[in-house]
Amino acid sequence: QVFPFVTSVNRKFSNILPNAMFNSKLSAKSSLRFSYRTNTSAPSISQLQNVINNNNPLLLRTGNEDLKQQYGHNIMGGYTFTNTAKGISVMGNMFVQKTNDYVGNATFIASADSVISNSVTLYKGSQLMKPVNLDGYWNLRSFVNFGMPLKFIKSSLNWNGGYSYAKIPGIINGISNISANQPFNAGAVLASNIS
């Protein structure tokens, strides 16, 4: 970094990333599977640089050279049942993710004009955002599908449904907050191969 002052940020990350997988054939028609894996995501250069970006005077951004990398734990489970003689199928999947040291945002909303550097002023009502490491991030997704034939119209009917949950931490004016989202979805597909 050469502007507004000369500095250098050198970060090194080392990790052990375990993973495991389990598959079980419960019967000739059904099976169960689970997997666990870990992953990391290092902060970007712009997130690490301690430079104020004032392209938008209402929303200033700066970096954080003390950022750690994110470390994620991911669990996936699935169940499959297929009865080819009757044309019935059931499939269910679930995915859970927990992230340690999640890179979220700390937002400061100025209640009065504030000088934050020799050349940058944060005006009243404007925001300054800075990336920080936070704990408490969760993400869950699930999906179920049930298929059956409709012989009287030579078609197949599939019912599906799902549920998701996301918990995202953040900080506003020094106070921790959580954003939670819980969408549901459902649908049906009628398919026919008329020839």
Side-chain angles (χ1 to χ4, degrees), residues 22 24 31-35 76-80 91-94:
F22 170 79
S24 176
S31 63
L32 189 66
R33 66 187 183 280
F34 286 99
S35 67
M76 193 277 291
Y79 172 79
T80 303
M91 180 184 67
N93 288 307
M94 184 181 69

Side-chain angles (χ1 to χ4, degrees), residues 20-41:
M21 185 175 290
F22 170 79
N23 290 304
S24 176
K25 194 167 180 66
L26 303 177
S27 68
K29 299 176 182 178
S30 62
S31 63
L32 189 66
R33 66 187 183 280
F34 286 99
S35 67
Y36 167 76
R37 66 180 181 84
T38 54
N39 68 295
T40 59
S41 178

